[in-house]
Amino acid sequence: MATEDKNRATAAAILPLVGGAANVSSIAHCMTRLRLGLHDRSLVDDEALKAVPAVMGVVEDDTYQIVLGPGTVARVTPEFEQLVEEGRAAAPEPGEAAPSVSAEELAAQGAAMKAARKAKNATPFKLFLRRIANIFVPLIPALIGCGIIAGLNGLLVNLGWLTSVTPALAAMASGFMALIAVFVGYNTAKEFGGTPILGGAVAAIIVFPGVANIEAFGQKLSPGQGGVLGALGAAVLAVYVEKWCRRWVPEALDVLVTPTLTVLVSGLVTIFGLMYVAGEISTAIGTFADWLLSNGGAGAGFVLGGLFLPLVMLGLHQALIPIHTTLIEQQGYTVLLPILAMAGAGQVGAAAAVYFRLPRNESIRRTIKSALPAGLLGVGEPLIYGVSLPLGRPFITACVGGAFGGGFIGLFNQLGDKVGSTAIGPSGWALFPLLDGNHGLGTTAAIYAGGLLVGYFAGFLATYFFGFSKDLLTEFNVSQDPAESTVAATGGPTTPDAPAKEPAGV
């Protein structure tokens, strides 16, 4: 089957299982997930969705999220959007068929359920973090591509190969980072309801070379000062200025006055205030990250690696995206991401232990076998939502594995061997092409590989010995075959003359 046909088939399989085109209110995607806004959550068939071959799992948050994995999601989403548009075009007009009362009641019930879930998750802080994520997530593909080119260029420079090509590779790798503030400004204005190009125009001031001739707070400004944080603040300000102008400027003058005042007012505030303030904050973030790992070392890595999975579950990991981006902009790499990636290593180790602890549960073992390759490459959702989180304890022991892996890398940071990533997004083995540090690629890769191994083994051992209670083992270590389930549950065949054996426990 051609790739296009395969992606369209996946989209076609998903659409009816989420209630059809009429039930879809919004469509978006991130690195691994198709994110859908749904009118009626009760129309979704979760189990049938999980059975679709390309679907690795489902997650419910403020949107309904279908895990498809990196690469696949970017190809399936356009096909899904097209099918939704076709479905809406073919749907009858609202007045053509009157829904039955029972259908209306069902829809109302589904809407109430959705509203209750959204109200539970839609705290102002989480909504703010989601907005921040929506600004930076679209930039990840460019960060990855440019980061890999930068790593390749560094390798060629160190080897002294292709000296006529390396300057061109350096330009490719650095061009996006030189203008990243503009893209952040554009996305920020779009996310906060303003005109995207005006947000980009104001943010462009930050990277304009001419700002070097301007003095603010008694100091000369430098191009790029304030970075992505300054661009974000400048674009938010531009949105508020623009909205004020739309409200008060006469329509006849709007097309001339509104964009002019938006750029002028927010531009002046950016130059004579935001650039300096955001620059100080950015510098403080870099200094704190260096200080934390230089002094906290293994302890800091242990805490960061151990807490990252819970942060992901709560949606709070999104707050780290601008921090990663700021560090990459300042230092060329983020030292936090390799440590946080150890959470995925702990998850892989925990899943492997679950596989061995539940030899009779074919269903869970099949899930682990199918999801483990993705987990090794840093796509952890199938293992989290399909294995460790439903079981409970293995999720905690997976965090323990991540903590030990993070502590290992943190220790080497304290010893002076920095391990960083030139981009955000990938994890696991997929992070190797993006690694960078202060002691050469070989040393950096070796330390990162060591952290992965520590995370694997710690997650495995913690889960194997402490991840199951007797009750949990009795409940889940059973065969899908009814005849074998009795054997699995009792530890042996039950006969009138032989009492059932107690189940094995930890």
Side-chain angles (χ1 to χ4, degrees):
M1 181 183 292
T3 302
E4 294 81 0
D5 294 338
K6 180 181 178 182
N7 295 328
R8 190 169 184 83
T10 299
I14 291 173
L15 184 56
L17 300 179
V18 295
N23 195 38
V24 178
S25 61
S26 65
I27 305 170
H29 75 87
C30 60
M31 287 290 294
T32 59
R33 306 178 189 180
L34 173 63
R35 298 171 180 259
L36 303 178
L38 301 174
H39 295 296
D40 186 352
R41 170 65 180 83
S42 66
L43 298 180
V44 178
D45 189 337
D46 295 297
E47 295 306 315
L49 267 174
K50 294 175 184 177
V52 174
V55 174
M56 298 178 175
V58 295
V59 181
E60 186 169 357
D61 199 350
D62 59 322
T63 57
Y64 191 78
Q65 302 169 16
I66 302 171
V67 183
L68 298 172
T72 301
V73 69
R75 292 169 172 81
V76 171
T77 300
E79 300 290 347
F80 187 84
E81 289 174 334
Q82 185 177 348
L83 289 175
V84 169
E85 289 301 319
E86 292 172 358
R88 288 171 179 168
E93 293 298 320
E96 291 185 14
S100 65
V101 174
S102 60
E104 290 177 349
E105 291 174 351
L106 185 61
Q109 182 183 3
M113 292 170 60
K114 178 185 176 186
R117 288 187 179 92
K118 289 188 72 174
K120 183 179 179 181
N121 290 316
T123 63
F125 183 61
K126 284 190 177 181
L127 290 174
F128 173 74
L129 291 182
R130 290 190 187 108
R131 281 191 158 186
I132 297 299
N134 290 340
I135 292 167
F136 287 93
V137 166
L139 306 179
I140 290 178
L143 285 168
I144 293 173
C146 295
I148 291 176
I149 292 173
L152 175 62
N153 184 62
L155 180 63
L156 293 175
V157 169
N158 290 335
L159 294 173
W161 294 354
L162 300 177
T163 54
S164 60
V165 176
T166 50
L169 292 177
M172 296 175 199
S174 304
F176 173 74
M177 290 305 303
L179 297 174
I180 190 173
V182 179
F183 296 100
V184 169
Y186 184 95
N187 287 347
T188 300
K190 181 179 179 180
E191 179 64 26
F192 282 84
T195 302
I197 198 65
L198 291 179
V202 174
I205 297 169
I206 292 174
V207 295
F208 177 61
V211 297
N213 300 319
I214 302 172
E215 189 173 298
F217 295 96
Q219 299 179 11
K220 287 278 189 179
L221 296 177
S222 58
Q225 185 173 339
V228 295
L229 298 182
L232 194 154
V236 169
L237 176 61
V239 169
Y240 281 100
V241 173
E242 180 188 358
K243 288 182 176 179
W244 183 89
C245 291
R246 301 287 185 202
R247 191 161 50 246
W248 296 104
V249 173
E251 289 185 9
L253 299 174
D254 181 73
V255 69
L256 297 175
V257 175
T258 297
T260 304
L261 283 179
T262 298
V263 176
L264 180 63
V265 173
S266 53
L268 287 172
V269 174
T270 299
I271 291 172
F272 293 106
L274 281 177
M275 284 185 67
Y276 176 82
V277 173
E280 294 299 304
I281 294 173
S282 298
T283 301
I285 289 174
T287 302
F288 177 74
D290 288 339
W291 176 87
L292 180 66
L293 294 179
S294 296
N295 295 276
F302 190 91
V303 172
L304 291 172
L307 292 181
F308 187 63
L309 282 181
L311 287 178
V312 172
M313 299 304 305
L314 296 172
L316 301 179
H317 66 297
Q318 295 165 342
L320 297 170
I321 296 176
I323 296 176
H324 287 313
T325 310
T326 297
L327 291 173
I328 292 170
E329 193 177 35
Q330 279 187 344
Q331 304 176 1
Y333 52 81
T334 168
V335 292
L336 298 179
L337 185 58
I339 291 176
L340 300 177
M342 295 302 107
Q347 181 64 57
V348 168
V354 171
Y355 184 89
F356 285 104
R357 287 294 270 157
L358 302 180
R360 299 186 181 98
N361 194 316
E362 298 91 345
S363 177
I364 289 181
R365 286 164 68 91
R366 277 196 303 270
T367 299
I368 293 172
K369 282 193 290 186
S370 63
L372 202 58
L376 291 170
L377 293 173
V379 182
E381 288 96 335
L383 290 176
I384 294 174
Y385 297 107
V387 181
S388 65
L389 193 60
L391 292 174
R393 275 198 191 183
F395 180 77
I396 298 173
T397 52
C399 294
V400 172
F404 276 96
F408 180 87
I409 293 183
L411 175 62
F412 277 91
N413 270 277
Q414 187 173 14
L415 296 175
D417 293 308
K418 290 186 178 181
V419 179
S421 170
T422 57
I424 57 177
S427 183
W429 293 0
L431 196 62
F432 276 104
L434 297 168
L435 291 177
D436 197 2
N438 60 343
H439 282 101
L441 182 59
T443 301
T444 302
I447 296 172
Y448 180 72
L452 287 177
L453 291 175
V454 170
Y456 295 153
F457 281 110
F460 180 90
L461 293 174
T463 305
Y464 193 90
F465 291 108
F466 305 106
F468 290 90
S469 64
K470 288 186 177 182
D471 291 339
L472 192 66
L473 204 59
T474 302
E475 179 182 357
F476 285 97
N477 192 25
V478 293
S479 172
Q480 301 300 302
D481 180 68
E484 294 179 10
S485 296
T486 304
V487 178
T490 61
T494 303
T495 67
D497 301 319
K501 297 179 182 178
E502 289 296 320
V506 176

